[in-house]
Amino acid sequence: MKKICATLLVVVVLHFTAFSQNADSTRKELHFSFPQLYAPSALILAGFIANGHSRESIKNEIAEERKEHFPRFKTRLDDYLQFSALAAAYGLDAAGIKSKTDFVNRSVILVKGEILAISTVMVLKKAFHIQRPDGSSYNSFPSGHTTQAFAAATFLSEEYKGTYQWMPYVSYTVASSVGILRVANNRHFISDVLVGAGVGFLSMKVAYWTHQYKWGKRLNRENS
């Protein structure tokens, strides 16, 4: 059961998010279309389906498997990996590999996406008030680390998928590893991770869909 659920997590996350990113338009301005909702909707729906309270629920079965096979596992790698895509995005730009969007507009999009992701997670954590698997607190659902990781992965993928077609697969693989490590660290249930992934992905997409690309116009006029 553990292997099946873990495999499903990786397949769902990587297939829907990476394929969705590669299927998007490569135009500078990313416009909304309903097919772009398939990936986050699938992740969030899967998370709610897994979020049962019985001992036989998917989230509790995986938590029990983790306690049985990896009771002492602990790492802080997920604390750093959640931001790795942001470091890569600006690092590539600093190295001379230009992103799709100019620095100012790209940064504004990032801030909007981060604000939306963080605020959504905070509201959901307070509304659901679910205890963490390690019993430390009641803010387990959804996973903030996973939300951050997928928001950052979406940002990196959106900015560089036109240059590197493999970028969505790499960025979402790293983001998925953050979610898996949160479960392995006994800090989150699988349901928390799936919903967090969907929220992060969707939040950054909304930031792109709603951006007007006007921030650099005044600067360009002043420099001309």
Side-chain angles (χ1 to χ4, degrees):
M1 182 65 181
K2 177 192 67 175
K3 292 182 179 180
I4 294 175
C5 291
T7 302
L8 285 175
L9 167 65
V10 175
V11 170
V12 168
V13 168
L14 294 183
H15 175 75
F16 280 101
T17 54
F19 179 79
S20 176
Q21 282 290 78
N22 273 338
D24 284 347
S25 169
T26 56
R27 293 176 57 187
K28 181 177 181 180
E29 298 183 18
L30 178 63
H31 297 286
F32 170 78
S33 65
F34 280 104
Q36 295 180 72
L37 293 176
Y38 294 164
S41 297
L43 290 166
I44 294 172
L45 178 61
F48 275 98
I49 291 174
N51 192 36
H53 297 292
S54 67
R55 292 186 62 182
E56 293 75 24
S57 65
I58 295 175
K59 76 171 190 179
N60 285 326
E61 284 194 3
I62 294 178
E64 286 299 321
E65 290 285 342
R66 180 267 172 198
K67 290 179 182 179
E68 179 180 351
H69 297 285
F70 310 103
R72 298 183 180 180
F73 180 87
K74 188 173 182 61
T75 179
R76 295 198 62 184
L77 183 60
D78 46 339
D79 292 336
Y80 306 105
L81 283 180
Q82 63 175 319
F83 301 110
S84 60
L86 299 183
Y90 284 95
L92 287 170
D93 190 67
I97 305 174
K98 296 301 180 183
S99 60
K100 180 179 69 173
T101 312
D102 64 88
F103 179 85
V104 175
N105 282 289
R106 179 175 75 243
S107 299
V108 172
I109 290 171
L110 175 60
V111 170
K112 291 195 300 182
E114 290 284 353
I115 290 175
L116 181 57
I118 293 171
S119 59
T120 300
V121 165
M122 291 178 64
V123 169
L124 291 176
K125 282 180 178 291
K126 187 172 183 179
F128 285 93
H129 195 63
I130 294 178
Q131 188 178 31
R132 291 181 184 271
D134 63 0
S136 61
S137 62
Y138 283 84
N139 60 350
S140 185
F141 184 88
S143 167
H145 278 64
T146 310
T147 299
Q148 172 59 50
F150 272 80
T154 303
F155 178 74
L156 174 62
S157 178
E158 190 59 44
E159 290 300 322
Y160 283 98
K161 66 182 180 181
T163 304
Y164 303 112
Q165 293 185 353
W166 45 263
M167 187 62 77
Y169 299 99
V170 173
S171 60
Y172 289 117
T173 295
V174 174
S176 298
S177 70
V178 173
I180 293 172
L181 286 174
R182 296 306 285 168
V183 175
N185 275 327
N186 204 32
R187 294 291 289 164
H188 282 288
F189 295 103
I190 192 69
S191 53
D192 309 340
V193 166
L194 289 169
V195 173
V199 170
F201 181 87
L202 184 59
S203 296
M204 197 57 66
K205 284 287 189 178
V206 170
Y208 275 97
W209 293 336
T210 58
H211 193 63
Q212 300 299 312
Y213 295 90
K214 296 179 178 180
W215 287 81
K217 290 184 177 181
R218 186 177 67 179
L219 292 175
N220 290 335
R221 287 198 299 268
E222 290 176 352
N223 293 331
S224 62

